[in-house]
Amino acid sequence: MSLATIPVRVARKRNEAEGICSFELVHAEVGTLPPFSAGAHVDVHLPGGLTRPYSLCNSPAETHRYRIAVLREAASRGGSVAMHEAVSEDARLEISAPRNLFPLNDEADAHLLLAGGIGITPLLAMAEALHRRGSSFRLHYCARSRSRAAFVDEIQSSGYADRVQFHFSEGAAERRLDIAHLLASPQPGTHLYACGPAGFMDAVLAGARAQGWSEQRLHHEVFNAAPAESAGDRAFEVLLGLSGRVVAVPAGCSIVAALSQAGVAIPTSCEQGICGTCMTTVLDGTPEHRDQYLTPEEQAAGTLILPCCSRAKSARLVLAL
Ligand code: FES
């Protein structure tokens, strides 16, 4: 997490859909907030000491507020419940400056935005930005039902409503998103941006790769990775290449946690292998990748690792730390 934080106040908390609240954050002391680009997120420091990344889902042209939206997760690790239950209007929070790990590609001729559920949040900012700059785009918004889909009224009354299609899986079969059909015959200048839960992302990315979309045109951000299977974890050791120190990583303990106990801090945010914050260079050894951030090519190359979740196949990993 970034050391410099911004004090903000919750100016408005609103129910946007079943299980989804939005929070409008304004600077607690001065008028404006640092600018951000579409796809950016902030790390929110929550009551109880947790830190969670949330995408900014208002127009990037705004500097008087940030808006985030949070789905209350049935299997919450604490973050979404804290946001829903412990953060009310007028609450003070500390957040990081915006960071963008999911930016729009400025060279693209056209943009195809695919949202699954709460994954609409960064894509909403993208749709706003693309509409403002007059770029060619389409947004497909998939959710289980209308009542579980946030911001539908806002989208339907926006200036880009005619470029949006809603797909509700509890509705008529023909309204569900046909991924294979949508992604068939990819145009060379079109970039695809997808955000949603792991199952949705797996389907979209597998569909795109099967239809020949190149990795450079696939941009994605996952919400909530499936919990990693830890039963077969083995212990290994990490050699810090810059200092020569060796740190043991027991089974059931992440590299980040083992290094933290040894006094070596690696910046983290999601701690699930989805945001890229903890990415570290591997100098030697073989990573066992468990993240959903690196591309299959990057994982195969073995020169990068997300140590918040990934482990080692070799007895020792040498990291550029
Ligand atoms: S902290 Fe998000 S990928 Fe490691």
Side-chain angles (χ1 to χ4, degrees):
M1 96 186 91
S2 150
L3 294 177
T5 58
I6 303 168
V8 293
R9 181 173 63 80
V10 178
R12 191 169 187 212
K13 178 179 180 181
R14 215 178 108 113
N15 279 326
E16 298 288 352
E18 221 173 286
I20 298 176
C21 277
S22 70
F23 299 81
E24 191 176 312
L25 309 176
V26 298
H27 202 295
E29 289 154 17
V30 295
T32 59
L33 292 160
F36 70 97
S37 52
H41 72 272
V42 292
D43 291 324
V44 178
H45 300 257
L46 295 162
L50 294 169
T51 303
R52 290 289 181 266
Y54 293 110
S55 297
L56 299 178
C57 61
N58 54 311
S59 167
E62 296 180 341
T63 55
H64 68 289
R65 66 167 186 160
Y66 295 149
R67 185 177 61 171
I68 59 174
V70 181
L71 169 68
R72 188 188 170 112
E73 313 258 6
S76 170
R77 294 178 304 141
S80 72
V81 169
M83 285 300 292
H84 274 250
E85 292 184 359
V87 178
S88 49
E89 278 188 10
D90 250 6
R92 302 276 174 134
L93 295 169
E94 296 286 327
I95 63 171
S96 70
R99 287 196 311 142
N100 201 341
L101 302 169
F102 187 39
L104 286 166
N105 183 296
D106 291 332
E107 312 291 309
D109 299 332
H111 307 262
L112 180 60
L113 314 179
L114 300 188
I118 190 65
I120 187 62
T121 48
L123 302 184
L124 203 51
M126 288 182 175
E128 281 288 340
L130 292 167
H131 176 58
R132 285 181 75 86
R133 65 168 89 149
S135 299
S136 169
F137 78 96
R138 294 205 71 79
L139 167 61
H140 290 264
Y141 183 1
C142 305
R144 198 191 304 176
S145 63
R146 166 73 177 79
S147 64
R148 287 171 176 263
F151 308 120
V152 173
D153 292 342
E154 181 176 317
I155 292 168
Q156 286 178 328
S157 60
S158 72
Y160 57 83
D162 58 341
R163 295 190 228 174
V164 183
Q165 256 177 281
F166 296 93
H167 307 274
F168 298 127
S169 51
E170 287 181 1
E174 62 273 15
R175 292 202 63 197
R176 292 183 201 156
L177 180 61
D178 182 343
I179 291 174
H181 179 72
L182 179 69
L183 301 182
S185 317
Q187 298 302 305
T190 301
H191 282 237
L192 185 152
Y193 307 81
C195 186
F200 173 82
M201 300 300 296
D202 289 348
V204 168
L205 294 175
R209 287 168 181 143
Q211 301 281 359
W213 288 71
S214 60
E215 289 299 329
Q216 303 91 291
R217 293 188 293 125
L218 299 181
H219 311 271
H220 51 97
E221 194 161 76
V222 183
F223 271 87
N224 277 344
E229 183 49 67
S230 59
D233 281 0
R234 285 185 304 111
F236 58 97
E237 60 185 26
V238 166
L239 169 64
L240 306 181
L242 303 186
S243 66
R245 279 181 71 191
V246 175
V247 176
V249 182
C253 178
S254 71
I255 297 175
V256 162
L259 292 185
S260 169
Q261 282 162 19
V264 181
I266 296 180
T268 60
S269 177
C270 71
E271 298 178 5
Q272 292 181 280
I274 58 183
C275 75
T277 303
C278 64
M279 189 160 66
T280 304
T281 299
V282 178
L283 300 175
D284 198 15
T286 310
E288 181 188 322
H289 296 289
R290 295 185 176 180
D291 66 279
Q292 298 185 50
Y293 180 81
L294 298 174
T295 64
E297 287 77 12
E298 287 170 330
Q299 290 194 343
T303 54
L304 295 169
I305 189 170
L306 282 306
C308 66
C309 63
S310 294
R311 302 185 66 78
K313 286 182 182 162
S314 48
R316 172 178 277 195
L317 270 188
V318 184
L319 301 181
L321 291 170

